[in-house]
């Protein structure tokens, strides 16, 4: 491995690793089929795609047989013959997808990662290592990308091998977006409204931001305590982020924030007022509907009682007439007998 100078490290740190959803699904499926839920073992695989210089496009992957001693991470087995056979078959399907690195499900760096990375240098000069967290505990992107480098120290001491963290992103092509949206249809809860979904997404974003701020705070405390060396590149990025914060001591900025907040609260107030009016209107309408229904039922019962009374009176009159006819018949029979 060629030692990297500060300029080379800076250029390498500007490389972005783009991971496609197909790779995430493939890695998750590989882990689910190979490792039980109660186990802490990791799986290893090969990444395929294109290295465009400033961007490494990870478009496909496949798993490989891998065994590791849980008590001694230096003891491991990886079938490189399997890698060569699978890569030859993948080249026949899509020659544009070349081997660009490897992945494992960490979820953190391990002692044997440098040795495994050296093995992959048989196939590619600068392999990228992507750690995919298949069981994320925090909100955020479940991928971390690294390049193996040798740092040249300023004091002239011996160089040391380490991993350089580079930014990673998740992007999808049009066909992948359609497939992912089709899969998410069965996952999304259809009973939730769009507003609640937006609020949940914003809450998840704020939780992710809080987690990142905690990491920055811990790093600065470690640097101040002398337990970690100063990384000027990180300090520069933090300074740029702090420079983007608004100056709240400026009355114009404060007034602008207050006006924007008041406008948003006015919309919320009008919405609440409109919802209350609509609810009251629905309540009154429902009450009127129930009253009309009860009134119609009362009229139907009166008509029924009236018809019943008329029927009873008619039946009584018919019975009386039948009795009178019987008396007349009996009287005629008596007269004939005489």
């Amino acid at each position: 491995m060629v030692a990297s100078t500060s300029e080379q490290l800076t250029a390498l740190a500007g490389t972005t690793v783009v991971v496609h959803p197909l790779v995430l699904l493939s890695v998750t499926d590989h882990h689910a089929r190979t490792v039980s839920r109660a186990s802490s073992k990791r799986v290893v695989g090969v990444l395929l795609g294109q290295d465009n210089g400033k961007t490494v496009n990870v478009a496909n992957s496949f798993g490989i047989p891998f065994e590791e001693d849980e008590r001694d991470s230096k003891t491991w087995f990886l079938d490189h013959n399997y890698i060569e056979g699978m890569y030859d078959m993948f080249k026949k399907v899509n020659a544009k997808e070349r081997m660009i690195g490897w992945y494992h499900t960490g979820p953190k760096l391990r002692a044997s990662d440098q040795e495994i990375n050296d093995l992959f240098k048989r196939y590619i000069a600068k392999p990228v290592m992507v750690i995919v967290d298949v069981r994320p505990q925090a909100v955020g992107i479940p991928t971390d990308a690294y390049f193996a480098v040798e740092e040249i120290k300023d004091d002239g001491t011996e160089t040391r091998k380490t991993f350089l963290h580079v930014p990673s992103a998740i992007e999808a092509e049009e066909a992948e977006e359609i497939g992912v949206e089709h899969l998410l249809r069965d996952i999304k809860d259809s009973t939730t409204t769009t507003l609640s979904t937006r609020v949940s997404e914003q809450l998840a974003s704020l939780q992710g931001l809080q987690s990142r701020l905690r990491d920055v705070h811990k790093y600065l405390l470690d640097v101040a305590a002398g337990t970690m060396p100063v990384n000027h590149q990180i300090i520069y990025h933090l300074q740029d982020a702090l420079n983007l914060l608004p100056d709240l001591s400026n009355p114009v900025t404060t007034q602008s924030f207050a006006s924007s907040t008041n406008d948003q609260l006015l919309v919320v107030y009008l919405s609440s007022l409109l919802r209350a009016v609509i609810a009251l209107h629905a309540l009154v309408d429902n009450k009127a509907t129930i009253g009309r229904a009860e009134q119609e039922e009362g009229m139907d019962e009166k008509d029924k009682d009236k018809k019943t009374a008329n029927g009873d009176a008619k039946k009584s009159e018919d019975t009386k007439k039948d009795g009178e006819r019987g008396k007349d018949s009996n009287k005629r029979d008596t007269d004939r007998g005489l």
Side-chain angles (χ1 to χ4, degrees):
M1 180 186 293
V2 180
S4 302
T5 61
S6 301
E7 292 78 7
Q8 292 172 338
L9 291 176
T10 303
L12 196 60
T15 305
T16 302
V17 178
V18 178
V19 182
H20 287 245
L22 177 62
V23 177
L24 298 178
L25 293 174
S26 177
V27 174
T28 305
D29 180 70
H30 181 199
H31 184 272
R33 293 176 182 272
T34 308
V35 181
S36 61
R37 290 184 175 272
S39 177
S40 60
K41 291 184 178 181
R42 60 175 178 169
V43 296
V44 176
V46 176
L47 299 175
L48 304 175
Q50 301 86 29
D51 187 355
N52 302 322
K54 287 295 183 181
T55 303
V56 178
N57 187 39
V58 183
N60 205 348
S61 66
F62 62 86
I64 56 178
F66 177 78
E67 293 293 337
E68 185 178 27
D69 190 352
E70 295 183 2
R71 292 170 294 183
D72 183 12
S73 59
K74 290 288 186 180
T75 305
W76 52 274
F77 167 76
L78 191 148
D79 191 353
H80 55 86
N81 293 325
Y82 181 86
I83 297 176
E84 296 171 0
M86 287 293 293
Y87 182 50
D88 289 339
M89 289 188 287
F90 268 90
K91 282 196 297 185
K92 295 178 182 179
V93 177
N94 190 350
K96 293 182 179 180
E97 292 181 353
R98 299 186 176 276
M99 190 183 303
I100 56 174
W102 62 289
Y103 72 83
H104 70 82
T105 57
K108 300 294 183 181
L109 289 169
R110 300 198 183 185
S112 58
D113 289 346
Q114 279 287 357
E115 298 177 0
I116 300 174
N117 195 80
D118 291 340
L119 174 63
F120 275 93
K121 287 188 176 182
R122 298 181 182 180
Y123 313 105
I124 179 174
K126 189 180 65 175
V128 59
M129 182 187 69
V130 177
I131 300 178
V132 182
D133 189 1
V134 295
R135 299 172 182 172
Q137 301 295 329
V139 179
I141 298 177
T143 57
D144 288 307
Y146 299 90
F147 282 105
V149 295
E150 282 189 7
E151 288 186 345
I152 300 178
K153 297 184 179 180
D154 297 333
D155 54 4
T157 57
E158 184 181 0
T159 60
R160 66 185 183 94
K161 295 181 179 181
T162 184
F163 280 104
L164 177 66
H165 183 269
V166 296
S168 60
I170 298 176
E171 296 181 4
E173 297 178 354
E174 184 178 357
E176 290 178 313
E177 289 180 357
I178 296 173
V180 171
E181 290 178 359
H182 184 71
L183 290 175
L184 291 176
R185 288 178 183 175
D186 297 332
I187 300 176
K188 289 184 178 179
D189 188 1
S190 59
T191 60
T192 58
T193 61
T194 306
L195 179 60
S196 63
T197 304
R198 290 176 58 188
V199 172
S200 301
E201 292 175 351
Q202 290 183 358
L203 179 61
S205 301
L206 291 175
Q207 290 175 347
L209 176 61
Q210 185 181 25
S211 175
R212 298 295 183 272
L213 291 177
R214 285 202 192 102
D215 294 339
V216 171
H217 181 253
K218 183 176 181 302
Y219 169 76
L220 293 177
L221 289 178
D222 292 340
V223 171
T227 57
M228 288 190 67
V230 179
N231 189 319
H232 297 288
Q233 193 68 28
I234 296 177
I235 300 300
Y236 293 155
H237 287 312
L238 290 177
Q239 187 63 48
D240 292 339
L242 293 175
N243 290 336
L244 294 175
L245 294 176
D247 184 12
L248 297 179
S249 61
N250 189 351
V252 177
T253 306
T254 306
Q255 181 64 29
S256 300
F257 273 110
S259 300
S260 178
T261 304
N262 291 336
D263 293 341
Q264 294 177 1
L265 293 177
L266 177 62
V267 174
V268 174
Y269 173 73
L270 291 177
S271 301
S272 301
L273 184 62
L274 183 60
R275 187 193 308 180
V277 171
I278 293 174
L280 288 174
H281 175 73
L283 179 63
V284 172
D285 191 17
N286 187 31
K287 188 69 176 177
T289 303
I290 294 174
R292 287 193 298 268
E294 290 177 350
Q295 186 177 3
E296 291 176 358
E297 290 179 0
M299 292 178 63
D300 293 340
E301 289 180 357
K302 288 181 180 180
D303 293 339
K304 186 177 180 181
D305 294 339
K306 186 175 180 180
K307 290 180 180 178
T308 303
N310 293 334
D312 293 341
K314 186 176 181 181
K315 186 183 294 183
S316 177
E317 185 177 353
D318 293 339
T319 304
K320 185 177 180 180
K321 288 181 180 180
D322 291 340
E324 290 177 354
R325 290 195 193 98
K327 289 180 181 180
D328 294 339
S329 177
N330 293 334
K331 186 176 180 182
R332 284 194 295 270
D333 293 340
T334 304
D335 293 339
R336 286 181 188 150
L338 294 176

